[in-house]
Amino acid sequence: MAIMITDECINCGACEPECPNTAIYEGGVEWTWGGGTNLKEVTLEDGTVVSATEKQAPVSDEFYYIVTAKCTECNGFH
């Protein structure tokens, strides 16, 4: 599993529902750390605590993207 969507992507969206961490989003869509889970808050690497439901800016406006900080490369899931 790559933590980057390659140029071979046809923007079909098949990967999004397969991601166990909800780390893949459609272009232009805001994302959250919780992503449909019961997670309440997240402590970032710099010690900042943020709400898991707070909307974050999209990484890409045109193409599907992976939030690399949420991606575990499916370790522990498959």
Side-chain angles (χ1 to χ4, degrees):
M1 169 67 88
I3 57 172
M4 179 179 155
I5 297 175
T6 66
D7 291 339
E8 295 174 1
C9 174
I10 60 171
N11 232 20
C12 70
C15 58
E16 185 179 18
E18 296 298 320
C19 179
N21 294 316
T22 64
I24 302 174
Y25 294 87
E26 183 177 359
V29 173
E30 295 176 325
W31 61 276
T32 63
W33 287 102
T37 68
N38 293 329
L39 188 64
K40 302 283 185 222
E41 62 184 24
V42 175
T43 303
L44 303 178
E45 289 180 2
D46 66 1
T48 305
V49 177
V50 297
S51 170
T53 59
E54 182 179 324
K55 297 209 183 246
Q56 306 293 319
V59 175
S60 171
D61 288 328
E62 296 180 51
F63 306 103
Y64 277 82
Y65 61 89
I66 299 172
V67 177
T68 55
K70 290 179 72 173
C71 180
T72 64
E73 296 186 15
C74 297
N75 287 331
F77 292 100
H78 302 288

